[in-house]
Amino acid sequence: MTQLHPGSRASLESLKALFGNSVAKGIMGTMALKAASAIIAFSLFTLAANASGAEEFGRFSIFFSVASLLSIVAAMGQELKVVRAWNQYMAQKQPALALGALRYGWILSLAGTAVVGLSFGAFLLADWNATPLQINGDWMLALATVAFLITNTLSLFSSHAARAIVSIRVGDGHHELTWRTLVITMLVASLIFGHSITTAEIFAVSAFGLMLVIAIQSVLISRKLSRELGPVKASYDVKTWTPRSIRLWFAAMMEATNQHLEVLLIGILLDPMAAGAYFVAARLANAFALAADGINTFGTRRVPGLYFTGQQRELSQTLRLMALMSLVIVAAGLGTVLLFGHWLLALFGTTYMDYHLVLIILSVGTAIAAAAGPAPSFLMITGHEDAYMKTVATSVVWRIIGFMLVIPAFGIVGAACVTASMLVLLSIYLNMQCRSKTGMDPSILRLLRKKADCIPDVSEQTTNPNALSAASIRPSPAE
């Protein structure tokens, strides 16, 4: 009987592990959810581009990017803090603090939403012609945009809370699918009846769908708390949570700026139609990010519990399975863009077919970022948000400088080159930081090495997981 080469046997064992155990099934279930989300999001933007026309879609892309960025500002870092705090306190048998952290998050999210929503509404109603955010007297556009900002912000918190407390299906399923399905239904009806859709109409239906998401998730969270915690009186550690929230808030804002500011800058430096074209290419390239976000979603639910309880062998196995799935995503995604990217752009309209090069450049950058794994999330949920915050802030500054220097001469191709370059450099450096500070390597490179992770032992730390000493680092069992 033919003997398998040791390398082949190891590969077969990896594949068997990938499809055979409960952790892998959890990853694949999350990936299936994110795949459905990617299809729904792709359908939404494709239909919006066709139902509104190139000029109106360019306008929508700018308003959508700015509202999405401001939603992160309004959330005040609570969507990240609730995931970390819930897992940490429940692992440490402190349900009162876990409940207090949840309520603290709701309070700050509501306060941030009120301040940012009112400020942005006043800005839009001023109708300044110095920015591409003019409403031209259309107060319904201002109202619908602010409604989308408010509901999107609150759904960010409710979805992250539902992911940590109830399940990924309840948290991300409703946030990714429910409201978008309503918008898609409206867009299809508009195309059937020949109605030219407006940005205000898209935001109005989106806000209504997001209200449903918040209501559903709030009810399910409340039921889960009643079953699992019972009559627990909430306890608050505001002195610890406030500075932690500020760090997470700033880090989240820098990441959102990296994702959304470029469309606004292109709208300012060129025109709304160019911004719309870049938005289309970026959204297609972000299919890597959406797929990788499935791994990130699974990781942020499973990894904190393993990390804070010191289950090092299970954590290493989980990271390896996540890396295997990342490799599949990168290979399949790049192949799809190279072979079918031209036709994917055509789905948005023939206007966008000329931007295939932009799509390829952005896809290479996002593919490398996906291959680097969810290092940013791991840094933040394990108490190293300061390192992430400084790194991302620096990258934002350099990206803005690059845009200002390159876009006037090279247009959106130059913008794509700047974005891809910064993504690659940022991903490599953050992965190095993650390995150095947490002992975890979430990238696909872990598949090529035999050295064990060196994961901190934080199982006995109950109040300050930020304070990790060098003496607490010990190697985990070999994978």
Side-chain angles (χ1 to χ4, degrees), residues 95-425:
L97 281 172
L99 182 59
L102 175 65
R103 292 180 179 175
Y104 175 90
W106 271 120
I107 292 169
L108 284 193
S109 295
L110 287 166
T113 298
V115 172
V116 175
L118 289 173
S119 300
F120 187 51
F123 172 82
L124 290 177
L125 291 173
D127 211 4
W128 293 342
N129 58 9
T131 74
L133 292 169
Q134 298 175 59
I135 62 170
N136 299 319
D138 185 359
W139 63 270
M140 282 298 295
L141 174 58
L143 181 62
T145 305
V146 172
F148 173 74
L149 187 159
I150 291 172
T151 52
N152 190 44
T153 302
L154 296 178
S155 73
L156 278 174
F157 182 80
S158 68
S159 298
H160 280 74
R163 179 199 302 174
I165 298 169
V166 185
S167 69
I168 292 173
R169 181 178 58 82
V170 171
D172 293 78
H174 285 296
H175 183 67
E176 301 286 353
L177 304 179
T178 302
W179 70 273
R180 287 176 177 156
T181 301
L182 290 176
V183 179
I184 286 173
T185 302
M186 177 200 66
L187 292 171
V188 170
S190 297
L191 286 170
I192 291 173
F193 294 105
H195 171 66
S196 183
I197 204 74
T198 66
T199 299
E201 290 168 337
I202 296 174
F203 280 146
V205 177
S206 298
F208 176 75
L210 286 166
M211 286 175 60
L212 291 179
V213 170
I214 297 165
I216 292 169
Q217 291 174 335
S218 298
V219 169
L220 293 176
I221 289 172
S222 178
R223 289 178 180 175
K224 186 68 178 285
L225 293 177
S226 298
R227 288 197 306 268
E228 292 202 352
L229 299 187
V232 173
K233 184 177 180 181
S235 180
Y236 298 89
D237 187 4
V238 177
K239 187 178 294 187
T240 299
W241 296 341
T242 300
R244 180 182 296 171
S245 294
I246 292 172
R247 293 193 298 269
L248 290 171
W249 183 31
F250 190 78
M253 285 193 294
M254 291 300 100
E255 184 176 353
T257 300
N258 260 336
Q259 293 177 1
H260 300 295
L261 184 63
E262 54 202 20
V263 175
L264 176 61
L265 289 176
I266 291 171
I268 294 172
L269 297 172
L270 295 176
D271 56 67
M273 290 186 68
Y278 187 89
F279 180 85
V280 167
R283 287 288 155 176
L284 284 173
N286 277 342
F288 288 103
L290 282 171
D293 189 46
I295 297 174
N296 178 51
T297 298
F298 179 84
T300 54
R301 176 164 174 83
R302 179 169 174 81
V303 167
L306 298 176
Y307 184 87
F308 286 115
T309 54
Q311 299 179 58
Q312 299 187 36
R313 183 184 296 277
E314 293 83 354
L315 182 54
S316 289
Q317 291 172 346
T318 298
L319 293 174
R320 183 173 182 81
L321 290 170
M322 290 169 66
L324 278 167
M325 191 62 79
S326 296
L327 179 60
V328 173
I329 290 168
V330 170
L334 273 179
T336 301
V337 167
L338 293 174
L339 294 174
F340 307 109
H342 205 68
W343 288 274
L344 290 172
L345 287 168
L347 293 175
F348 288 85
T350 55
T351 306
Y352 303 103
M353 292 179 69
D354 295 333
Y355 300 100
H356 192 208
L357 178 59
V358 175
L359 174 59
I360 291 175
I361 294 170
L362 291 173
S363 295
V364 170
T366 52
I368 293 174
S377 295
F378 286 178
L379 284 169
M380 287 191 284
I381 63 178
T382 56
H384 300 92
E385 56 269 17
D386 285 346
Y388 174 72
M389 182 172 58
K390 294 172 184 176
T391 303
V392 176
T394 302
S395 77
V396 168
V397 172
W398 280 110
R399 182 180 289 196
I400 293 173
I401 293 172
F403 272 29
M404 296 296 185
L405 295 175
V406 172
I407 289 177
F410 300 99
I412 65 173
V413 173
C417 290
V418 171
T419 298
S421 300
M422 291 308 304
L423 272 175
V424 171
L425 293 174

Side-chain angles (χ1 to χ4, degrees), residues 32-53:
L33 174 61
K34 288 298 177 179
S37 170
I39 293 171
I40 291 289
F42 178 80
S43 301
L44 190 156
F45 292 123
T46 302
L47 291 168
N50 285 278
S52 61

